Amino acid sequence: MNVLFYLLISVVAFLLAGRYYARFIAKVLGEDTCNLTPAHTINDGHDYVPTKNFVVFAHHFSTIAGAGPILGPTVAILYGFVPAWLWVVLGGIFMGAVHDFTALFVCMREGGKSLAEVARKTMGESGFKLFISFTILMIILVTSSFLSATSISLTSLWPLSKIGVKEGETILKTVIVEGVVMGRIGGIASTSVIVITFCSPLLGFLIYKKGIKTALAYLLAAAICAASILLGILFPVSLSPTVWMIIISIYVLFAAGMPVWAILQPRDFINAQILYGGILLMAISIFSTGLGGLSVSMPSFNLDEGVKNLGFIWPMMFITIACGAISGFHSIVAGGTTSKQLANECDARKIGYNGMLLESAMAVCVLLALGATLAFTDYKTIVWPTVQNIKSNPILGFSLAAGHLFNQGVGIPVALGTVFGILLVEGFVITTLDSAVRFNRYLFEELWSILFKNPPRIMKRSLFNAGLSVILMWVLAYSNAFSTLWPIFGTANQLLAALGLFAISSWLLMKGKNYYFTLLPALFMVITTIASLAILMKTYIRTANYILMATDLLLFALTIGVMVLIARIFLLKRKGKTHNG
């Protein structure tokens, strides 16, 4: 089928959902632009800051997107293009965007508090403790997965012959491996990430302390991006995966304690330009190649290989494609930073619902790039290697597909397009790690206040809690390959989404509002994730992976606790209604 068929259906569906379904939800929630947001009522100049819509959207979108809508679809397309595409489109509209919008709105209405605090109000102290536990565990899994993936991709090599260039005719530095000339795909992106990171505080100072105009901010961000790529071409950085793990871990340890304006927001703003450009370039390339007759060449359905490598399509595909369809991590972003920066109440819909739709659109473009331009044999070699000591590298798989797509669509050389593809992912992995470790720092502080009446002084220090998050992230990433970590992360992530939707449903119940549009997705996701935990447990027992076995058991116990709690809340409410009637 022509790529335009899938692209146009997806775009029309997203536009209709943003126009009608989002407004229906806003009406149920009681959106009112006259209400002052916490950014105005608190405005502490640190976390609560009224921020321009486009800046908040850039921060929110780059944080929730990260590598999720690229890695998940890249791994799950093994089941076949059609089932992956359907889940991204339908899941994004009826589950992911609903989750993101309602989570952001409710956190904003509750004074910019986290969804865990909302759970305390709606589901009691038990709900609060469950949410904290789920969130800490999920963040450790997502950060370890991203750390593993990025450290491998920054050292990526690929034969020059497979990208249609010869030695001396490419911007890539080369190395010979077993007689094959290989291009260092990751080195340019490595330098670019370093340059962007060091320039972020300066841009943050100019935007938030000097108040430079929006147009100038965009121009400076674009200039930093262009300069970082140029420096990457001239001075590519080549380090081992283990060294990259250590460097990134040290960076996020200190970045997690800095004010949001100093590095988090400006870094997001710079990276958002790359992300917007990447999505636009993918869309233009897909449209151009579609007019030229490009069709999806990967199998429409490939269930046998998918089941062999990942497990039954339900539930495993639904937890493998996490961020492209629905993601619990987004609720952490909503309550942790975004809800504290909204200048207007209607921005929750524009940023929450539309931000998720844009992420789903990005996932569709990723699927089309992979499905139409990357040879299926190359895809399996990179993402599902059968040779021992060769690790799965989905970021490289996507980057090569993007490089071929850009080449066919707009004439960009494959090598340069591949570098841009890998850079598209890398900047946002680092951004997600920044935010996630910051969030876990807050959550550990909350956990100690629950476990101890008077927590030891060291447990109140931000460096201790950020350090604990980083150490756990590094240990899991160092001891497990990406392909092993991603399924358990996806399960934890979708469980957190279910818990968030349960908390939101309880909030709507308390307010006497319709809650079925959040409760039904919650029930679907919790049933799906319980099934995936059972499948993963068999794998961990067979491979004697005791760390992930314990993680699986803990997630299962927490899930049972959530189900008991939510059943009690809704049954008691129903009995109360019956009695009153």
Side-chain angles (χ1 to χ4, degrees):
M1 189 72 71
N2 190 290
V3 292
L4 283 181
F5 171 81
Y6 295 107
L7 180 64
L8 292 176
I9 286 182
S10 304
V11 170
V12 169
F14 293 147
L15 289 175
L16 290 174
R19 174 67 177 82
Y20 296 104
Y21 197 42
R23 293 193 178 189
F24 159 75
I25 296 171
K27 186 176 180 180
V28 174
L29 293 173
E31 177 185 281
D32 187 349
T33 56
C34 294
N35 290 336
L36 288 177
T37 64
H40 288 289
T41 57
I42 299 175
N43 196 356
D44 60 6
H46 191 269
D47 292 317
Y48 292 83
V49 180
T51 308
K52 294 177 181 178
N53 184 292
F54 72 92
V55 175
V56 182
F57 189 93
H59 155 69
H60 182 81
F61 181 62
S62 58
T63 305
I64 66 169
I70 293 174
L71 295 179
T74 300
V75 173
I77 200 174
L78 186 66
Y79 284 110
F81 178 86
V82 171
W85 173 70
L86 286 173
W87 171 230
V88 166
V89 175
L90 297 178
I93 291 172
F94 295 106
M95 296 192 183
V98 172
H99 168 272
D100 287 19
F101 175 22
T102 54
L104 181 53
F105 185 90
V106 170
C107 289
M108 175 189 65
R109 274 287 179 92
E110 292 298 321
K113 294 180 180 177
S114 70
L115 209 54
E117 289 289 347
V118 175
R120 188 205 295 268
K121 181 176 180 179
T122 60
M123 301 166 66
E125 200 65 29
S126 298
F128 174 72
K129 292 175 181 177
L130 286 169
F131 208 104
I132 292 288
S133 303
F134 256 126
T135 306
I136 289 175
L137 189 55
M138 195 282 297
I139 289 180
I140 292 169
L141 288 168
V142 69
T143 52
S144 59
S145 298
F146 281 10
L147 182 62
S148 175
T150 196
S151 63
I152 294 168
S153 65
L154 287 174
T155 59
S156 297
L157 301 174
W158 192 245
L160 290 184
S161 61
K162 285 185 176 286
I163 53 177
V165 296
K166 297 178 181 179
E167 189 174 5
E169 298 179 357
T170 176
I171 60 172
L172 301 175
K173 300 295 183 181
T174 59
V175 61
I176 297 176
V177 179
E178 297 181 357
V180 179
V181 181
M182 312 284 279
R184 292 187 181 276
I185 305 292
I188 297 173
S190 303
T191 301
S192 178
V193 167
I194 293 169
V195 171
I196 289 172
T197 300
F198 276 102
C199 289
S200 294
L202 174 60
L203 185 62
F205 174 76
L206 292 174
I207 293 176
Y208 300 103
K209 298 302 180 181
K210 293 299 181 180
I212 63 173
K213 293 183 178 180
T214 301
L216 180 58
Y218 272 112
L219 285 174
L220 286 173
I224 291 170
C225 290
S228 72
I229 295 172
L230 179 61
L231 288 171
I233 293 171
L234 296 174
F235 309 104
V237 174
S238 179
L239 301 170
S240 71
T242 302
V243 172
W244 269 119
M245 278 190 187
I246 295 171
I247 291 173
I248 294 170
S249 296
I250 292 172
Y251 160 72
V252 297
L253 172 63
F254 291 101
M258 297 178 69
V260 292
W261 67 265
I263 194 161
L264 181 66
Q265 286 183 338
R267 200 177 192 290
D268 288 349
F269 185 63
I270 296 171
N271 283 322
Q273 315 313 311
I274 302 175
L275 189 55
Y276 295 155
I279 295 172
L280 181 62
L281 194 56
M282 278 196 288
I284 291 172
S285 298
I286 291 168
F287 190 78
S288 174
T289 54
L291 291 177
L294 184 67
S295 298
V296 174
S297 57
M298 276 196 184
S300 296
F301 295 91
N302 188 48
L303 301 185
D304 288 343
E305 283 192 285
V307 170
K308 179 182 176 182
N309 287 278
L310 280 166
F312 296 114
I313 189 168
W314 184 88
M316 300 311 294
M317 188 191 74
F318 294 84
I319 58 96
T320 301
I321 300 179
C323 303
I326 179 173
S327 170
F329 178 72
H330 297 186
S331 67
I332 305 172
V333 179
T337 54
T338 309
S339 63
K340 298 174 175 62
Q341 300 172 39
L342 298 179
N344 193 298
E345 191 164 285
C346 68
D347 288 347
R349 169 167 48 88
K350 297 173 183 177
I351 292 169
Y353 199 90
N354 293 343
M356 181 62 214
L357 290 185
L358 185 58
E359 180 168 341
S360 294
M362 181 180 177
V364 168
C365 290
V366 170
L367 288 171
L368 288 171
L370 287 161
T373 65
L374 189 63
F376 195 46
T377 52
D378 285 344
Y379 163 77
K380 289 191 289 186
T381 299
I382 299 166
V383 182
W384 298 101
T386 56
V387 180
Q388 276 191 331
N389 300 324
I390 301 295
K391 294 183 178 181
S392 173
N393 193 347
I395 294 178
L396 175 61
F398 160 74
S399 301
L400 287 166
H404 285 290
L405 179 66
F406 299 155
N407 177 254
Q408 295 178 38
V410 294
I412 295 175
V414 177
L416 182 59
T418 301
V419 169
F420 185 76
I422 207 167
L423 182 60
L424 184 67
V425 185
E426 290 305 335
F428 298 98
V429 172
I430 306 298
T431 296
T432 301
L433 290 175
D434 285 358
S435 299
V437 171
R438 181 183 292 264
F439 297 150
N440 238 8
R441 189 192 96 205
Y442 301 150
L443 292 168
F444 271 122
E445 291 169 3
E446 290 278 2
L447 182 63
W448 307 141
S449 67
I450 293 171
L451 296 178
F452 304 99
K453 182 174 292 186
N454 186 22
R457 183 177 298 177
I458 190 172
M459 289 185 172
K460 298 178 182 179
R461 296 184 180 275
S462 61
L463 191 61
F464 171 81
N465 292 297
L468 182 58
S469 303
V470 168
I471 289 170
L472 292 171
M473 169 187 74
W474 188 88
V475 168
L476 266 181
Y478 185 76
S479 59
N480 289 277
F482 166 81
S483 57
T484 304
L485 287 170
W486 190 260
I488 191 68
F489 150 67
T491 301
N493 190 37
Q494 307 300 57
L495 278 169
L496 184 61
L499 179 56
L501 287 167
F502 280 135
I504 293 161
S505 300
S506 301
W507 186 86
L508 291 168
L509 181 70
M510 285 178 55
K511 302 291 183 180
K513 299 177 182 292
N514 178 3
Y515 54 80
Y516 290 104
F517 63 94
T518 56
L519 183 61
L520 292 177
L523 291 172
F524 174 80
M525 290 317 306
V526 80
I527 293 169
T528 298
T529 47
I530 287 174
S532 72
L533 285 173
I535 293 173
L536 289 173
M537 179 56 75
K538 291 181 180 179
T539 302
Y540 300 148
I541 291 173
R542 187 178 69 250
T543 57
N545 193 327
Y546 299 110
I547 294 177
L548 295 186
M549 199 185 302
T551 304
D552 192 297
L553 285 171
L554 181 56
L555 285 171
F556 184 78
L558 291 171
T559 303
I560 296 301
V562 170
M563 294 303 295
V564 170
L565 185 63
I566 201 70
R568 184 185 303 164
I569 290 171
F570 279 86
L571 286 174
L572 286 174
K573 181 67 177 179
R574 188 171 181 179
K575 285 181 180 179
K577 283 185 176 181
T578 304
H579 179 74
N580 292 335

